[in-house]
Amino acid sequence: MPTRYASVKSSLAGILSNASAENLPMAIPSRFVFALTLAATLLGGSGAAGFAAEAPAGAGTLPSLDDLFAPNAWGKLPSQVAWSPDGSRLSYVFDDGKGEELWVLDPVTDKSEKFSGAELTGSRDSPEAPPKPTEPAAATPPGVGEVSWLPDGKGFLVVSGGDLYLAHPGAAPRRLTRTAAAEEGAAVSPKGGRVAFVRDHDLWTLDLATGREVRQTRDGKENVTLNGETDWVYWEEIWNRDATGFWWHPDGRRIAFYRFDETPVGTYPLIDDAPRNATVRWQKYPLPGQPNPRVQIGVRDTTSASAKTIWMETGGAPGDYLARAGWSKDGSWLAIERLNRDQTELDLLRCAPETGKCSVLASDRDPDWVNLANDFRPLADGRFLWSSEREGWRRLYLHAADGKPIGPVTPEGWVHESLDGVDEARGIVTFTGYATSPRLAAAERHVLTVRLDGTDPQQLTPGRGWHSANLAPAGGWWVDSYSDADTPPELRLIGPDGKRSTVQLTAHPPTIDPAGLPKYEFLTVPGPGGSTLPARLLKPAGFDPDRKYPVLTYHYGGPASQVVVDRWGGAWAKWMAARGYAVWSVDNEASIFFGKRGEVRLHRHFGELELAGQLAGVDYLKAQSWVDAGRLGLWGWSGGGSNTLYALLHSPGTWKVGVAGAPVTDWQLYDSIWTERYFDTPEENPEGYRLSSAVTAAANLKDRLLIVHGTADDNVHPQNTWNMIRALQKAHVSYEDLALPGQMHGIRGDGQIHFYRRMTELFD
């Protein structure tokens, strides 16, 4: 990951280990959010003296704020779980409190071995890479770093402290680089002879036998030209924060890579005012209707520094997105997905690496917009898999070598979310998805297999909950990552016979017993126009139907959003329920429960449909004898913060208080790719932008409002909140604000704790 994203990556890692999907940024579609938040463990609350509500009788002693935010409060799972290339061993990184260690497990024999951070990077520098005369010797970086298997399965490539190492069992690690600049995005070639990486925004390769480096590009410069990596908006919106910037050819000699020209893109100043002399980081950030980066994909022979780059002639308009790339099985052609800037036309291109000539192999069209997936998979016989939402729900399709569709692979009635593996010899596809009916089925995720011809679908994950699969390349083993709304995440090792192994992957159990907290109920409620909306509810501990209870609503909204999930995440909500609140969520008609045809109902105008869904939820609550209709609270983060503002401003008096975290308050201020997908440009849809803006309706505020923003937020810029505050002040209406210095879009640490403490105080 590029240097400029290091703090973002660190922030995201903190969220994943110490939060839940409720605090994740808006711009990741929910179908990716919940896959990314597999290890999510906590939304903290407050136990501060002076305002905490009295615990209900029989509830016992509630955890304190510090208890909720303790590192292992809800358990701790291994990270970097990966199968060896032959599928015979499983590696993972775990910190048992004494430092990170890499474990390697043989699932057949149950035997495992471990490597400490020092064993992977060396307690001292190895002779293969002596310090450069002009550079001081650097201390060995602590911890394991980023670990990946070598193609022969006999060792690991390690990225630690920005440098590269080779580690083999029973041998001293070999240091490959020692530079002031970090080596990032490192990947070993398929045959194992070279490693490619990005340094100072240029693409480099290193010969593992000789240690010789070759600088493949020479014009890399921050905020100007990027090679072998993505810019911010591609990383955020095209790649959903799992960016790939280069692709090794199967022969290990050639490499395809991105080149970004950022010169036409506007900038936003992110100010760090913690130092005595404040500093500014200028972020390249394209706004709706304004220029995007100019993007190319080139192919180089990596064995020679003098080799010429062959640029792919992708055609289309200058503003089109080159969204995906990958080689055919035999390496004879390069696949590139080209999406037009209007995001209504997606073409799969077949490009010749020797000449750069490209032709359209297959296409997908939608009059509103095409949602990107990441499941193009070439097969050995020239056929390929590719997905589409043309039927209203995403399905995986098999295509002939000439691009013509053969037929659907995934079964009707199941939505394809991720392609987890293809066993070509057996003709079996493994995928993760959810059923389209009944309405609440989409609250779960399940792993299934199906034959390439679309027959014999088999669900591998029985029961309830949220599953994702990490398949071994061979051997039939896989790891099931599981949780449900009342059970913290766990990793289950599944054997080729489909039975759960007795082997337990190293993990810390929860220090707080989740069984002692209220449990979720899932239900449906009447929605607008005769629709049925999915919902979930936490009733207060010691629930008494003859009492009246306040209700807190958490929501998000937006196209393909989802908060009604049967997965772990939201311990703060459970904690508030234990303190006497009911906690409520309902998803609207544009959520994933309604497929693509529901999603497009938000085209060119946000707010009205989301509010209608929340008002339907309020109607249901008011019909319950135990609900105190005068004490309803509403909150959300990012897109949920935007919709909190819209709800308060367009239905004053419905909620007594609202909390809007990191909201987009004017959609002209959010990034080009995400916003134009749904709104078109401000020039094409000025009224949609105006009516969807919270700033436009600021004078309507009648309820109590807390608006929150991190000052270092490079996703939804603080500019959004400052402009909202200006509008509220101009309208002479009262509000409260909370600035979180140095916090990004995903808040963490002291800032996160303070936010939940302040929100709890406000609701109390």
Side-chain angles (χ1 to χ4, degrees):
M1 187 171 291
T3 303
R4 64 191 181 283
Y5 302 144
S7 58
V8 180
K9 179 181 178 183
S10 175
S11 176
L12 182 61
I15 301 167
L16 295 180
S17 64
N18 210 31
S20 92
E22 294 179 7
N23 195 21
L24 279 171
M26 166 200 59
I28 307 181
S30 61
R31 61 180 66 97
F32 299 106
V33 167
F34 298 114
L36 286 170
T37 55
L38 158 67
T41 56
L42 172 67
L43 270 180
S46 173
F51 64 84
E54 181 180 350
T61 303
L62 290 177
S64 68
L65 178 71
D66 291 338
D67 291 335
L68 289 173
F69 276 91
N72 302 327
W74 308 106
K76 182 178 181 180
L77 296 180
S79 62
Q80 301 191 56
V81 179
W83 289 99
S84 62
D86 65 359
S88 65
R89 287 159 296 158
L90 181 70
S91 65
Y92 58 91
V93 174
F94 189 74
D95 185 348
D96 61 0
K98 300 178 182 178
E100 284 189 341
E101 294 173 322
L102 174 69
W103 290 81
V104 178
L105 169 70
D106 183 330
V108 176
T109 65
D110 294 355
K111 292 182 179 180
S112 60
E113 58 182 328
K114 66 179 178 179
F115 305 87
S116 68
E119 289 174 319
L120 290 169
T121 58
S123 57
R124 58 187 178 85
D125 296 320
S126 57
E128 290 88 347
K132 297 178 182 178
T134 57
E135 294 179 355
T140 299
V144 169
E146 299 175 21
V147 181
S148 57
W149 286 93
L150 296 178
D152 61 8
K154 296 179 179 179
F156 300 91
L157 175 70
V158 182
V159 184
S160 184
D163 281 314
L164 306 181
Y165 301 80
L166 281 183
H168 291 86
R174 177 185 171 197
R175 186 166 189 163
L176 299 174
T177 64
R178 177 196 298 281
T179 59
E183 284 77 53
E184 297 167 318
V188 180
S189 63
K191 296 185 181 298
R194 297 178 185 82
V195 59
F197 56 87
V198 174
R199 179 193 293 158
D200 282 335
H201 311 295
D202 272 320
L203 179 65
W204 295 69
T205 56
L206 182 149
D207 188 291
L208 293 178
T210 65
R212 178 174 176 264
E213 292 184 353
V214 177
R215 186 175 181 177
Q216 300 292 340
T217 63
R218 294 185 173 274
D219 60 349
K221 185 178 181 180
E222 186 174 11
N223 286 343
V224 179
T225 306
L226 312 177
N227 294 291
E229 60 183 347
T230 65
D231 75 328
W232 183 89
V233 76
Y234 262 61
W235 174 77
E236 175 74 23
E237 306 297 5
I238 296 292
W239 285 97
N240 296 295
R241 304 189 177 190
D242 188 16
T244 298
F246 58 84
W247 304 268
W248 276 109
H249 188 277
D251 67 9
R253 294 177 57 89
R254 287 175 289 180
I255 198 167
F257 66 97
Y258 270 135
R259 182 183 187 275
F260 282 77
D261 176 1
E262 292 201 288
T263 52
V265 181
T267 57
Y268 182 87
L270 290 161
I271 301 171
D272 181 2
D273 51 14
R276 182 179 181 187
N277 295 314
T279 60
V280 178
R281 177 170 73 88
W282 293 98
Q283 179 196 11
K284 287 288 186 175
Y285 190 98
L287 295 172
Q290 295 186 3
N292 278 329
R294 294 187 282 259
V295 185
Q296 296 173 282
I297 293 179
V299 175
R300 287 182 61 82
D301 183 336
T302 64
T303 61
S304 171
S306 61
K308 292 184 178 180
T309 298
I310 307 298
W311 297 105
M312 300 299 100
E313 299 174 10
T314 53
D320 288 355
Y321 303 110
L322 303 183
R324 302 281 184 267
W327 293 97
S328 63
K329 257 309 181 48
D330 61 3
S332 62
W333 56 281
L334 179 69
I336 297 176
E337 293 187 25
R338 181 187 67 200
L339 179 67
N340 68 332
R341 180 151 183 174
D342 287 342
Q343 301 183 56
T344 57
E345 301 176 358
L346 178 65
D347 291 317
L348 178 63
L349 306 180
R350 178 180 178 134
C351 300
E354 298 84 5
T355 65
K357 299 294 184 182
C358 299
S359 60
V360 176
L361 185 60
S363 298
D364 200 5
R365 298 288 187 266
D366 191 291
D368 297 293
W369 66 80
V370 176
N371 286 314
L372 287 171
N374 193 14
D375 48 23
F376 167 76
R377 183 69 60 90
L379 304 178
D381 61 5
R383 296 179 301 168
F384 61 91
L385 297 169
W386 205 37
S387 72
S388 171
E389 293 179 302
R390 66 175 69 102
E391 298 179 27
W393 304 91
R394 185 168 297 278
R395 294 181 74 179
L396 191 66
Y397 295 87
L398 180 64
H399 292 252
D402 63 3
K404 293 180 181 178
I406 296 174
V409 176
T410 51
E412 186 175 2
W414 281 88
V415 179
H416 167 71
E417 282 220 330
S418 69
L419 178 55
D420 302 319
V422 180
D423 185 337
E424 293 192 55
R426 298 171 56 218
I428 298 293
V429 172
T430 303
F431 73 99
T432 298
Y434 58 89
T436 59
S437 65
R439 178 68 75 210
L440 286 171
E444 300 180 355
R445 295 294 183 274
H446 288 284
V447 180
L448 297 90
T449 60
V450 64
R451 295 193 176 278
L452 274 169
D453 62 7
T455 63
D456 194 28
Q458 301 288 331
Q459 184 175 327
L460 304 184
T461 49
R464 60 177 287 198
W466 198 282
H467 301 261
S468 64
N470 185 338
L471 268 64
W477 289 89
W478 62 289
V479 176
D480 176 17
S481 300
Y482 166 79
S483 75
D484 63 45
D486 304 307
T487 305
E490 59 183 72
L491 300 181
R492 301 171 172 178
L493 188 59
I494 311 296
D497 57 1
K499 295 181 180 179
R500 182 175 175 180
S501 171
T502 58
V503 174
Q504 297 294 317
L505 298 179
T506 303
H508 283 301
T511 57
I512 299 174
D513 183 5
L517 297 173
K519 291 180 170 52
Y520 277 101
E521 301 175 15
F522 290 83
L523 64 155
T524 58
V525 300
S531 63
T532 301
L533 304 181
R536 71 175 189 174
L537 171 68
L538 284 170
K539 288 181 179 175
F543 177 74
D544 180 352
D546 294 328
R547 290 183 56 186
K548 292 283 189 179
Y549 294 97
V551 182
L552 303 181
T553 295
Y554 170 74
H555 70 144
Y556 189 84
S561 61
Q562 181 180 18
V563 294
V564 178
V565 293
D566 192 6
R567 62 171 292 278
W568 182 258
W572 178 81
K574 284 178 171 278
W575 186 79
M576 292 295 278
R579 296 176 65 241
Y581 288 90
V583 181
W584 171 255
S585 288
V586 61
D587 276 319
N588 61 59
E589 294 175 274
S591 67
I592 69 157
F593 291 90
F594 294 86
K596 183 66 187 297
R597 294 186 179 96
E599 186 180 336
V600 299
R601 295 182 62 180
L602 289 178
H603 195 189
R604 296 172 61 89
H605 184 202
F606 282 7
E608 186 176 355
L609 184 142
E610 293 97 327
L611 175 57
Q614 295 309 314
L615 292 177
V618 169
D619 288 341
Y620 173 83
L621 292 173
K622 288 182 176 180
Q624 310 308 306
S625 61
W626 51 269
V627 169
D628 186 342
R631 290 192 294 163
L632 303 181
L634 182 69
W635 82 281
W637 192 269
S638 192
S642 304
N643 282 317
T644 294
L645 291 174
Y646 190 96
L648 296 183
L649 298 173
H650 292 84
S651 186
T654 301
W655 294 274
K656 191 169 186 177
V657 58
V659 177
V664 177
T665 64
D666 182 345
W667 291 102
Q668 295 185 80
L669 303 180
Y670 198 55
D671 75 63
S672 57
I673 297 179
W674 196 92
T675 311
E676 290 177 11
R677 182 183 306 148
Y678 307 121
F679 277 91
D680 301 331
T681 67
E683 293 72 25
E684 294 167 324
N685 183 23
E687 193 70 355
Y689 278 83
R690 186 183 71 83
L691 293 176
S692 302
S693 167
V695 172
T696 302
N700 294 346
L701 183 64
K702 300 294 188 296
D703 310 304
R704 193 166 178 182
L705 168 67
L706 173 65
I707 187 169
V708 184
H709 222 116
T711 63
D713 192 336
D714 65 353
N715 184 341
V716 178
H717 290 147
Q719 176 186 26
N720 283 271
T721 286
W722 309 156
N723 284 353
M724 187 68 195
I725 287 174
R726 289 187 184 96
L728 292 168
Q729 291 175 349
K730 183 177 180 180
H732 305 294
V733 295
S734 297
Y735 66 94
E736 298 175 47
D737 63 80
L738 173 62
L740 300 172
Q743 293 287 338
M744 302 182 72
H745 196 61
I747 58 175
R748 60 183 305 198
D750 292 339
Q752 186 185 41
I753 297 172
H754 183 75
F755 164 66
Y756 283 103
R757 175 182 291 114
R758 181 68 196 97
M759 183 162 63
T760 304
E761 291 174 345
L762 183 65
F763 283 137
D764 282 349

